[in-house]
Amino acid sequence: IVAFLNRYFTIMCTIIKKHGGTIDKFIGDAIMALFGAPVSYEDNCRRAVAAANEMREALSLVPLGDLQMPEGMKFNIGIGIHYGDVIVGSIGSSDKTDYSVIGDSVNLASRLEGLTKTYGAMVLVSESVKKDVADNPDGFVFRRLDDVKVKGKTTPVPIYAVDKNIEEFSAIYRDSYAKGFDLYKRGVWKLAEECFEKALEEAPNDKAASLMKGRCQEFELNPPQNWDGAIAFTTK
């Protein structure tokens, strides 16, 4: 495991630094990186998304070595990106400090990373990232998946998947999902369910569309109280 993680970290950290990012720390098998400190660029968000895309493409290059994956499983990762204000500096005790960042923006990025498994998307970004990249899209394809209230927050956050390319999902899928999501937010569960079903016909293995269809079926039977169009998560 240690040898594998060292190989994995080496490949991924090289990509992050290539795009101007800084490695903050390793948290178990996770990498925490920041773009904008100590060196900042005009296009920090674009650089972060570009790094995430390249990290995704580099997965097949990571040697597994002696690792044996369980049958039916493959090595995968999840990446969460958020753009916002943070507190940055050398943080620690009198005899040990680390240059790091803290704050709500850091926590939200971590929550987005955790949601990649829920929605089946390898790269999830917040709306602030999408808006900042909009002026310099560089071919990125953003797909709105949901509005969520992450653990500890009451304000909804729109979340977007970053697709490999526009061909990854058909135009019919994208149109059906978008229509379904609009109906879902307005509480029109039955029609929303039909739209998500149509999206699933185009992409049968899409976890996000399946999740949203299931929610619509559940909400038809048990409508949520005080619905504001956003689902609340109580775990990290």
Side-chain angles (χ1 to χ4, degrees), residues 52-113:
N53 271 345
E54 189 170 340
M55 291 168 71
R56 168 167 52 193
E57 296 302 319
L59 274 182
S60 60
L61 304 178
V62 180
L64 297 181
D66 294 332
L67 286 186
Q68 296 185 17
M69 301 297 291
E71 185 176 352
M73 295 184 67
K74 64 178 182 178
F75 173 56
N76 218 333
I77 61 173
I79 302 172
I81 308 173
H82 178 53
Y83 172 51
D85 294 330
V86 296
I87 300 169
V88 59
S90 295
I91 301 171
S93 65
S94 59
D95 60 349
K96 179 175 173 56
T97 61
D98 285 319
Y99 182 83
S100 187
V101 292
I102 57 174
D104 282 349
S105 292
V106 180
N107 294 335
L108 180 52
S110 176
R111 301 292 187 269
L112 292 177
E113 184 274 328

Side-chain angles (χ1 to χ4, degrees), residues 31 34 45 49 53 62 65 71 85-86 91 117 123 135 156 158 162 176 228:
I31 305 169
L34 52 140
C45 282
V49 176
N53 271 345
V62 180
E71 185 176 352
D85 294 330
V86 296
I91 301 171
K117 294 183 285 291
V123 183
D135 295 332
V162 182
S176 299
D228 61 0

Side-chain angles (χ1 to χ4, degrees), residues 7-227:
R7 293 192 297 269
Y8 166 71
F9 285 150
T10 298
I11 292 173
M12 296 304 170
C13 290
T14 299
I15 294 171
I16 291 169
K17 289 188 286 187
K18 167 188 169 183
H19 289 277
T22 299
I23 309 303
D24 184 296
K25 61 173 68 71
F26 301 109
I27 309 170
D29 61 356
I31 305 169
M32 177 175 166
L34 52 140
F35 291 76
V39 178
S40 184
Y41 301 89
E42 292 183 356
D43 57 346
N44 291 310
C45 282
R46 187 198 64 79
R47 289 170 176 269
V49 176
N53 271 345
E54 189 170 340
M55 291 168 71
R56 168 167 52 193
E57 296 302 319
L59 274 182
S60 60
L61 304 178
V62 180
L64 297 181
D66 294 332
L67 286 186
Q68 296 185 17
M69 301 297 291
E71 185 176 352
M73 295 184 67
K74 64 178 182 178
F75 173 56
N76 218 333
I77 61 173
I79 302 172
I81 308 173
H82 178 53
Y83 172 51
D85 294 330
V86 296
I87 300 169
V88 59
S90 295
I91 301 171
S93 65
S94 59
D95 60 349
K96 179 175 173 56
T97 61
D98 285 319
Y99 182 83
S100 187
V101 292
I102 57 174
D104 282 349
S105 292
V106 180
N107 294 335
L108 180 52
S110 176
R111 301 292 187 269
L112 292 177
E113 184 274 328
L115 288 175
T116 57
K117 294 183 285 291
T118 301
Y119 290 89
M122 196 178 297
V123 183
L124 281 183
V125 304
S126 64
E127 189 167 51
S128 62
V129 172
K130 177 183 179 294
K131 285 182 176 179
D132 192 77
V133 174
D135 295 332
N136 190 4
D138 203 21
F140 300 135
V141 180
F142 296 97
R143 179 167 47 96
R144 187 168 181 175
L145 295 183
D146 203 356
D147 289 356
V148 303
K149 298 174 185 175
V150 299
K151 181 177 172 60
K153 297 296 177 183
T154 57
T155 303
V157 176
I159 61 173
Y160 296 80
V162 182
D163 296 333
K164 294 179 182 178
N165 50 58
I166 193 66
E167 288 81 22
E168 187 173 359
F169 291 92
S170 70
I172 295 175
Y173 167 92
R174 294 179 183 279
D175 183 62
S176 299
Y177 194 104
K179 287 179 178 177
F181 183 62
D182 179 63
L183 292 165
Y184 164 85
K185 284 181 65 67
R186 290 192 279 134
V188 188
W189 314 120
K190 185 60 179 176
L191 291 178
E193 179 191 345
E194 293 174 1
C195 289
F196 290 125
E197 176 60 35
K198 189 173 182 180
L200 281 170
E201 291 174 1
E202 291 291 308
N205 296 322
D206 182 55
K207 198 169 182 179
S210 179
L211 174 72
M212 299 301 280
K213 176 187 172 183
R215 276 199 209 144
C216 290
Q217 292 173 332
E218 178 185 346
F219 291 167
E220 283 178 56
L221 299 175
N222 301 293
Q225 299 295 317
N226 303 316
W227 176 245

